[in-house]
Amino acid sequence: MSSNEILRVPGEAIEKSEDSSRSEDTTGEIPSYLGVSGQKLHVAISMLAGVGFLLFGYDQGVMGSLLTLESFRDTFPSIDTIRKPSRSTMQGFVIAIYEIGCFSGALSTMAVGDKFGRRKMIFAGAVVMIVGGILQATAFSVGHLIAGRIVSGIGNGCITSTVPMWQSECAKPHRRGALVMMQGALITCGICISYWIDFGFYFAKGSVSWRFPIAFQIVFAIAILPFIMKLPESPRWLLKKGHHAEALKVFASLEGVTSDDRWVQTEFQEVKASLDEEANSGAEKMDIKRMFTQGEHRNFHRVMLALWSQIMQQITGINLITYYAGTIFEQYIGLPPLQSRILAACNGTEYFLASWIAFFTIERFGRRPLMLFGAAGQAITMAILTGTTWAADVTHNNDSHAAVAAAVFLFIFNTFFAIGWLGMTWLYPAEIVPLSIRAPANGLSTAGNWSFNFMVVMITPVAFENISSYTYTIFAVINALMVPVVYFLYPETAGRTLEEMDRIFALSDPKKPWQVVRIAREMPYEIPKDQRDPRAADVEKAQAEHIESTTE
């Protein structure tokens, strides 16, 4: 077919642009990326997205057990709180400055995320993280270490604000939640790996005991680079940018059928109609400004739900444990150094295993029940930790039984968080906001995550130094307050297409934000809940027909 021919889709003719003509399927073949399509392509996307989140988790967990190493403290004496506890503020700043980098990277996604697309932002983020990892691993001064942590953070901010969008916009509605929960599980896998590497190198002599664990993050970033540009771009982003033929090819490849399949054509038209509606109101010219106006689709309402879901994840207090697990066991519960590191590594392992519970339950129970369950459990656990860590403190009762109980409840807190909030707030913002503002909105919500992450990581050493066990009380109260917030304000998104959420919010009154919960509960599903995948039979039939035709 020549370059001036057209691709037929229901209700219109789409002229092929020069950049997309190479992508159009005119041979009756199932389009593929890296030689795979259908479910295998979804797996490939999930695996690469998972590496991005594994890198994120590794970078979060790696510093926790390094802070008490003698060689690390000798290299950076100004953040050594063992020899001088008053340095807790500086230590908190150096560790938390990473979040400022992440915040900056997430904000950059607001400005350029929709311009360059999902894959290029992930690629750029991985490159920047490699540079940051090298800077951290070669540091000989606190200033050098701070610079490396900021650079690593910028790269991570780009990755974490883009991967959930890419994943959600490529996934099928009935599998979207489970796939993003898998990414959450891989965050904890990264944390787990970092804890065990920290433990293994605890026995090494010299600065290699902390330089290698920090440098090892570069391996995950390098693994992203060869493959990300060979996987499909988000079909919704392609449509938004007018690359219709390429978008149709991606839709078909994700379904594992040819481009003329009726489900592919229907999905193409539905997404395009939603984008056309937004374009008619000038959305593409002022994405960021539109985030702060309601409009027909209640943009501001939805952006606030996305933003506060990310903020709530951080003020649960999870990074009090993630960043400082080894330090908490050794310095604040009073366990021996070796035992502290073993417990920190076991804590990360249990955290990883617990995170898979959400993978199997997210579509069965939905988003709201898991968030409510997690917040309630976290509140109770933090309250118990207040008492157990107080009793275990050497300045109080120095109770060894209380120390054991405190260690156990640190594990329990991670379990509740893994089920209810770990992957949820990377999924929910990508599901809740309209496509026209999805990139800047996810950039803003992720920036909110990192800004409050910075606050928690920054204040943790200072809080422990000044109010000790009552640090946990603050987080117990915050988690308890999250329960009514989720119950009254957060609608269920499970099983909904990304376009269905537009219709749900369009029916709500922005002055009564609690209405959307009832509307989402009462509105019929486009894909009925009792049908696991209504496209499956058609896809299997189309694939069988294709195989039969190619063998004749």
Side-chain angles (χ1 to χ4, degrees):
M1 182 176 283
S2 63
S3 61
N4 62 351
E5 289 182 89
I6 58 174
L7 171 65
R8 297 284 179 183
V9 294
E12 70 169 341
I14 304 171
E15 293 195 13
K16 290 164 48 179
S17 60
E18 183 178 346
D19 66 295
S20 62
S21 60
R22 58 183 173 79
S23 302
E24 184 182 346
D25 170 36
T26 61
T27 63
E29 294 182 357
I30 297 174
S32 64
Y33 293 83
L34 288 175
V36 296
S37 61
Q39 186 58 35
K40 290 181 179 179
L41 181 57
H42 283 283
V43 170
I45 291 171
S46 297
M47 287 177 64
L48 199 66
V51 173
F53 272 94
L54 192 148
L55 171 59
F56 163 36
Y58 185 91
D59 220 29
Q60 276 196 310
V62 72
M63 294 298 294
S65 294
L66 304 182
L67 297 174
T68 55
L69 287 174
E70 186 175 356
S71 61
F72 186 88
R73 292 186 287 115
D74 289 342
T75 307
F76 309 110
S78 61
I79 59 174
D80 179 6
T81 59
I82 292 179
R83 294 191 180 108
K84 195 171 182 180
S86 61
R87 293 168 179 163
S88 59
T89 301
M90 187 61 183
Q91 184 189 86
F93 174 76
V94 171
I95 301 305
I97 198 67
Y98 171 74
E99 273 67 44
I100 296 300
C102 294
F103 175 83
S104 302
L107 286 182
S108 71
T109 304
M110 291 178 61
V112 300
D114 259 350
K115 179 179 180 181
F116 294 111
R118 315 312 188 215
R119 296 179 304 172
K120 289 181 181 178
M121 289 300 296
I122 296 170
F123 184 93
V127 171
V128 173
M129 286 203 77
I130 291 171
V131 175
I134 292 171
L135 287 172
Q136 288 186 76
T138 58
F140 282 94
S141 68
V142 168
H144 191 166
L145 182 65
I146 288 173
R149 290 188 66 74
I150 292 174
V151 172
S152 290
I154 291 171
N156 195 31
C158 293
I159 291 173
T160 55
S161 59
T162 306
V163 164
M165 279 191 296
W166 182 54
Q167 177 85 20
S168 295
E169 291 172 356
C170 290
K172 298 178 182 180
H174 74 286
R175 293 293 295 164
R176 189 171 60 234
L179 289 172
V180 178
M181 288 304 105
M182 184 173 72
Q183 312 316 321
L186 288 168
I187 294 175
T188 62
C189 180
I191 294 170
C192 175
I193 292 171
S194 72
Y195 286 172
W196 282 111
I197 287 181
D198 283 355
F199 172 68
F201 277 81
Y202 169 68
F203 301 99
K205 295 181 179 180
S207 64
V208 70
S209 62
W210 62 268
R211 292 189 189 279
F212 182 90
I214 291 175
F216 192 73
Q217 64 186 279
I218 297 170
V219 173
F220 303 119
I222 290 174
I224 293 173
L225 299 182
F227 302 105
I228 183 64
M229 298 306 294
K230 295 181 180 179
L231 286 169
E233 180 58 88
S234 159
R236 288 168 170 82
W237 180 84
L238 289 167
L239 267 176
K240 183 178 180 180
K241 293 302 180 181
H243 306 312
H244 295 156
E246 179 70 13
L248 193 65
K249 174 189 174 183
V250 174
F251 277 128
S253 187
L254 290 169
E255 290 290 353
V257 297
T258 57
S259 297
D260 58 359
D261 175 80
R262 69 183 183 89
W263 281 109
V264 169
Q265 300 284 348
T266 300
E267 186 171 22
F268 178 96
Q269 286 297 343
E270 184 182 64
V271 177
K272 187 174 184 302
S274 178
L275 285 170
D276 287 344
E277 182 181 340
E278 294 284 353
N280 290 336
S281 60
E284 73 282 358
K285 296 181 181 179
M286 47 181 180
D287 284 352
I288 295 178
K289 182 179 178 180
R290 283 177 64 85
M291 289 197 301
F292 303 100
T293 60
Q294 292 289 9
E296 181 182 352
H297 290 154
R298 314 295 186 253
N299 292 344
F300 182 70
H301 180 186
R302 297 163 77 172
V303 169
M304 288 299 101
L305 290 176
L307 173 62
W308 280 97
S309 70
Q310 290 275 27
I311 291 174
M312 285 191 293
Q313 185 199 55
Q314 290 307 310
I315 57 178
T316 60
I318 181 59
N319 281 318
L320 173 154
I321 301 170
T322 300
Y323 278 78
Y324 297 107
T327 304
I328 289 171
F329 286 125
E330 182 175 349
Q331 202 167 337
Y332 301 115
I333 296 180
L335 299 175
L338 180 60
Q339 188 176 343
S340 296
R341 282 166 174 78
I342 293 173
L343 275 176
C346 291
N347 180 275
T349 304
E350 188 275 338
Y351 189 17
F352 169 59
L353 296 174
S355 65
W356 286 98
I357 297 173
F359 175 82
F360 294 105
T361 58
I362 184 67
E363 298 299 351
R364 180 180 176 84
F365 297 114
R367 284 51 163 160
R368 279 165 48 86
L370 293 191
M371 285 193 284
L372 292 168
F373 173 78
Q378 289 157 198
I380 294 168
T381 306
M382 281 291 186
I384 294 172
L385 279 166
T386 300
T388 54
T389 55
W390 184 89
D393 196 316
V394 294
T395 61
H396 297 122
N397 294 336
N398 195 21
D399 188 336
S400 60
H401 297 295
V404 172
V408 168
F409 277 97
L410 286 172
F411 280 69
I412 292 173
F413 180 88
N414 277 357
T415 302
F416 279 113
F417 182 84
I419 295 171
W421 287 88
L422 171 64
M424 194 70 68
T425 50
W426 301 107
L427 168 67
Y428 202 87
E431 291 186 323
I432 205 71
V433 297
L435 178 59
S436 62
I437 59 168
R438 191 161 293 147
N442 274 273
L444 178 64
S445 65
T446 306
N449 178 294
W450 291 117
S451 60
F452 279 78
N453 191 325
F454 170 80
M455 180 194 73
V456 171
V457 177
M458 175 72 191
I459 69 169
T460 292
V462 181
F464 275 127
E465 181 62 28
N466 289 279
I467 62 174
S468 187
S469 299
Y470 295 106
T471 303
Y472 296 107
T473 307
I474 297 171
F475 293 108
V477 173
I478 290 172
N479 278 284
L481 292 174
M482 285 165 51
V483 174
V485 170
V486 172
Y487 184 82
F488 289 108
L489 298 179
Y490 279 75
E492 184 59 73
T493 58
R496 299 289 188 184
T497 65
L498 300 174
E499 289 67 42
E500 271 183 283
M501 296 310 299
D502 289 342
R503 295 191 285 273
I504 289 171
F505 276 91
L507 294 172
S508 69
D509 182 349
K511 296 180 181 179
K512 299 177 180 179
W514 55 87
Q515 281 187 345
V516 74
V517 174
R518 175 184 55 80
I519 294 169
R521 183 172 58 246
E522 296 176 356
M523 178 177 283
Y525 281 73
E526 182 177 298
I527 301 175
K529 287 184 178 181
D530 59 351
Q531 297 182 22
R532 184 183 65 84
D533 185 1
R535 304 185 184 194
D538 294 286
V539 170
E540 289 174 5
K541 180 181 178 181
Q543 290 174 332
E545 290 174 349
H546 171 71
I547 293 172
E548 183 179 347
S549 65
T550 56
T551 55
E552 288 179 351

